[in-house]
Amino acid sequence: MSETLTGAQILCRELLAAGVDVIFGYPGGAIMPFYHALPEYPGLRHILVRHEQAAAHAADGYARACGRVGVCVATSGPGATNLVTGLATAHMDSSPILAITGQVSRPMIGRDAFQETDIIGLTLPITKYSHLVQDVSELASSVREAIAIALSGRPGPVLLDVPKDVQNQKFEYEPSRTAIPGTLTPGANPGFPGSLDQGIQEAAQLIAAAERPLIMIGHGVILGNAYAEVRALAERTGIPVITTLLGISAFPESHPLHLGMPGMHGEVHVNRAIQHADVIVGIGLRFDDRVTGNTAAFAPRAKIVHIDLDRAEIGKNIPVAVGLVGDAREVTRRLVQAVEPRNCETWRDEIQSFVRPRADAFSGDLSPESILASIYEVTGGHCTIVTDVGQHQMWVAKHYPYERPNTHITSGGLGTMGFAVPAAIGVHIARPDESVWSISGDGGFQMNMAEIATMVQEGLSVKMAIFNNGYLGMVRQWQQFFHEKRYSCTPIWSPDYVKLAEAYGIAGWRVENRGQLADVVQRANAHAGPALVEFVIAQEANVYPMIPPGGSLSEPIEAQPAAAPAV
Ligand SMILES: Cc1ncc(C[n+]2csc(CCOP(=O)(O)OP(=O)(O)O)c2C)c(N)n1
């Protein structure tokens, strides 16, 4: 049965039909018809952010936490351009979000109208799909198609630009749930000779013949829900597992086969294992430059088996011996069936001999590691950690003992400072029954701290940790190592965060020594409402080890036990 509805009403109806129940957004002139219709649809909860960038990050955090499409809404012009960083962040990390932007009315397009921006042109390279809806008659199908594209194959962000007059246009609307077919043909191995089965057999033979095999897993394992299959592969073969930054929490840290993170800030034994490996099975990762360092010197002895849903990733950065195009879960499941049971004990013993004693050279007793241990202890691990970008992000990646799947959320590909606080809002909405802690540096926190107001207005009990070292720490570290310690523009002033918390009417604490740690973390975690904890850490603590940018994984800068490193 059809009904006469406006474009704005059709938008709401289609969102509800797609299972959307929360929207992060900010109103303005060109999106006003949509906001006018919204109160008629109480099933769509709207979270009013304080900046559209935060709406995109919150939608991204939500999508990563629950696997459903995250929706953000903005007006034309500045509202739409404010979404751009969030869309690029989601694009780099394959997160399915739908951005809906208002656009000036169709007769005004192309006339430099007030608040007109070509947001389609701006976002084409950072979305899977950007589309200007030209008429109300195509609106419903555009929403369905956009959401299907966001979620299908390798997920990613999509944008629908809806002119104001299209939102006001009336149309005989008939609900439809036509399924849009997926993009992959099961059994095919596009772009590679032979079938997927042949490729799996070849991979199994390589694994059987290998003396020093490794499994490296990335975000695709989390997106593809391939935890059990990866674990089965590791346990059947005894092959140690390396988790990239975005693969963290895809494999339990405490598992005897878990090695740790590779790359620029990876542990020495992990990178050495890569340099000694003769076969690497990469699952759902893209061998980016932070993982490989100098690609010419990366894993010089290894034949690479690369499993990825996105054909374009295979062989893009690293030449592969066997490329397997497909869903991480399905292909890994088939690989488990194809491999013979084996045990890599000798190789694992060899890797153990690479392990170096920790020498982080922290001064002061409030080490990042002790803070993270406290959060883990207090929450019993029932917590999702959302990190920002910088040194604290690396400390979390290296030291937080992730046991449960998909409990580590961070901006890996784009490295977007300001991500953690708004993304944690989205995660909290997706997972209301468990603790969500954002962890930021004093720089990144100040980029989006206005979102505390969003938490207060919407009653969102997010816990915010600030690692305050008085610097843009990661940049200062690079200045220390590679720019003759010229700390140009990296010291950063902060407000009194406890007073800031007070001004917003939320709970706030400052922790300056280890004696205060457990009590404050406990109180913040138990507090019914948003809470902020500033941890005052050593100003010049560094993240070790470090592979210099473009360097080989074989040449790390390591901490000198007592003093700063010679550079
Ligand atoms: C939006 C954005 N601007 C600049 C950078 C470059 N950058 C990377 S890390 C970093 C310093 C982060 O400092 P802070 O937030 O205090 O965290 P810390 O490194 O001290 O833990 C900067 C400026 C970035 N990643 N993102």
Side-chain angles (χ1 to χ4, degrees):
M1 249 236 328
S2 70
E3 271 176 275
T4 309
L5 297 180
T6 64
Q9 290 170 317
I10 293 171
L11 257 179
C12 294
R13 290 278 287 264
E14 283 296 323
L15 291 175
L16 283 169
V20 173
D21 55 12
V22 62
I23 296 171
F24 306 91
Y26 207 94
I31 193 74
M32 284 188 70
F34 173 77
Y35 276 89
H36 181 80
L38 204 50
E40 295 162 25
Y41 301 92
L44 292 172
R45 178 181 183 191
H46 183 271
I47 305 288
L48 179 68
V49 293
R50 294 302 181 270
H51 188 295
E52 291 86 350
Q53 180 187 354
H57 290 325
D60 185 350
Y62 173 87
R64 294 190 205 209
C66 68
R68 294 162 67 188
V69 70
V71 180
C72 54
V73 176
T75 191
S76 65
T81 55
N82 274 350
L83 292 176
V84 167
T85 301
L87 288 168
T89 303
H91 191 243
M92 287 291 266
D93 289 352
S94 310
S95 184
I97 69 176
L98 165 65
I100 297 171
T101 47
Q103 182 54 280
V104 299
S105 291
R106 286 168 297 174
M108 305 300 290
I109 291 178
R111 294 165 179 256
D112 287 340
F114 177 66
Q115 294 193 329
E116 181 188 1
T117 298
D118 176 8
I119 196 64
I120 301 293
L122 277 169
T123 56
L124 271 176
I126 53 163
T127 53
K128 275 181 91 177
Y129 174 77
S130 291
H131 178 67
L132 173 70
V133 181
Q134 311 253 15
D135 190 81
V136 70
S137 59
E138 58 164 280
L139 187 53
S141 60
S142 297
V143 174
R144 288 202 297 276
E145 194 168 336
I147 292 177
I149 291 172
L151 290 168
S152 70
R154 180 179 182 170
V158 295
L159 182 138
L160 282 184
D161 199 24
V162 190
K164 187 171 183 175
D165 60 333
V166 172
Q167 295 171 49
N168 281 325
Q169 247 184 321
K170 294 225 166 85
F171 187 66
E172 278 303 301
Y173 170 73
E174 243 177 290
S176 148
R177 301 297 328 142
T178 321
I180 292 171
T183 48
L184 272 179
T185 324
N189 200 16
F192 290 95
S195 68
L196 190 57
D197 273 335
Q198 280 167 322
I200 287 172
Q201 289 310 322
E202 276 174 52
Q205 282 158 16
L206 281 180
I207 290 171
E211 285 176 13
R212 296 182 171 85
L214 290 173
I215 296 171
M216 264 173 92
I217 61 174
H219 201 196
V221 171
I222 292 174
L223 291 167
N225 196 5
Y227 312 105
E229 290 72 13
V230 165
R231 192 168 170 161
L233 180 65
E235 289 176 352
R236 190 166 162 85
T237 56
I239 303 179
V241 178
I242 291 173
T243 40
T244 69
L245 177 64
L246 286 179
I248 288 172
S249 80
F251 197 81
E253 300 269 325
S254 64
H255 195 289
L257 290 172
H258 186 249
L259 279 191
M261 185 174 76
M264 180 173 274
H265 289 293
E267 300 304 334
V268 170
H269 67 279
V270 179
N271 286 338
R272 278 194 78 181
I274 291 171
Q275 296 305 77
H276 283 70
D278 54 5
V279 167
I280 295 178
V281 181
I283 309 177
L285 79 167
R286 58 196 172 87
F287 293 103
D288 83 297
D289 54 286
R290 284 294 195 266
V291 164
T292 61
N294 178 359
T295 47
F298 175 76
R301 302 171 180 88
K303 294 196 171 101
I304 310 279
V305 175
H306 192 175
I307 301 171
D308 205 287
L309 192 56
D310 186 349
R311 166 68 186 92
E313 287 300 347
I314 299 181
K316 183 175 88 178
N317 295 330
I318 294 288
V320 299
V322 180
L324 300 172
V325 183
D327 170 59
R329 184 176 189 178
E330 176 57 16
V331 178
T332 309
R333 188 185 64 75
R334 286 163 72 174
L335 186 57
V336 173
Q337 288 167 355
V339 291
E340 292 299 323
R342 57 171 301 186
N343 185 327
C344 297
E345 217 165 89
T346 318
W347 167 224
R348 280 188 272 134
D349 288 346
E350 191 181 338
I351 296 174
Q352 275 310 306
S353 74
F354 301 156
V355 175
R356 304 288 177 87
R358 285 277 313 282
D360 273 323
F362 291 127
S363 58
D365 74 341
L366 193 59
S367 68
E369 207 175 345
S370 65
I371 300 167
L372 299 172
S374 182
I375 294 176
Y376 184 79
E377 218 173 280
V378 163
T379 59
H382 280 275
C383 172
T384 302
I385 303 283
V386 187
T387 59
D388 217 75
V389 174
Q391 292 180 309
H392 64 280
Q393 179 190 32
M394 292 299 115
W395 286 318
V396 173
K398 289 155 70 77
H399 303 311
Y400 192 84
Y402 290 96
E403 290 297 316
R404 293 188 310 128
N406 196 15
T407 47
H408 169 254
I409 288 178
T410 197
S411 163
L414 201 66
T416 306
M417 283 172 71
F419 173 81
V421 169
I425 288 178
V427 175
H428 172 72
I429 287 171
R431 299 180 179 170
D433 299 328
E434 70 173 47
S435 294
V436 177
W437 280 76
S438 72
I439 298 183
S440 314
D442 40 335
F445 184 77
Q446 292 187 69
M447 281 196 174
N448 270 330
M449 65 188 185
E451 297 308 319
I452 298 173
T454 305
M455 296 174 197
V456 173
Q457 184 165 346
E458 302 288 342
L460 306 173
S461 181
V462 174
K463 313 301 167 194
M464 292 163 279
I466 307 162
F467 282 22
N468 188 354
N469 52 12
Y471 279 106
L472 296 172
M474 187 55 96
V475 179
R476 185 209 57 73
Q477 175 170 341
W478 284 46
Q479 289 172 331
Q480 179 185 338
F481 288 7
F482 314 118
H483 293 269
E484 299 94 37
K485 293 193 177 177
R486 185 178 289 184
Y487 294 162
S488 167
C489 306
T490 43
I492 184 165
W493 176 90
S494 279
D496 180 327
Y497 289 115
V498 177
K499 284 195 179 145
L500 183 84
E502 202 184 311
Y504 278 106
I506 68 166
W509 292 269
R510 178 176 301 114
V511 173
E512 287 168 307
N513 57 60
R514 201 180 290 204
Q516 303 166 308
L517 187 56
D519 179 52
V520 169
V521 172
Q522 175 68 50
R523 285 161 65 188
N525 195 62
H527 181 75
L532 173 158
V533 187
E534 174 194 11
F535 297 98
V536 182
I537 61 166
Q539 288 211 305
E540 298 190 26
N542 287 324
V543 184
Y544 290 109
M546 178 176 191
I547 307 295
S552 152
L553 293 192
S554 306
E555 291 155 5
I557 300 173
E558 292 185 67
Q560 307 300 309
V567 284

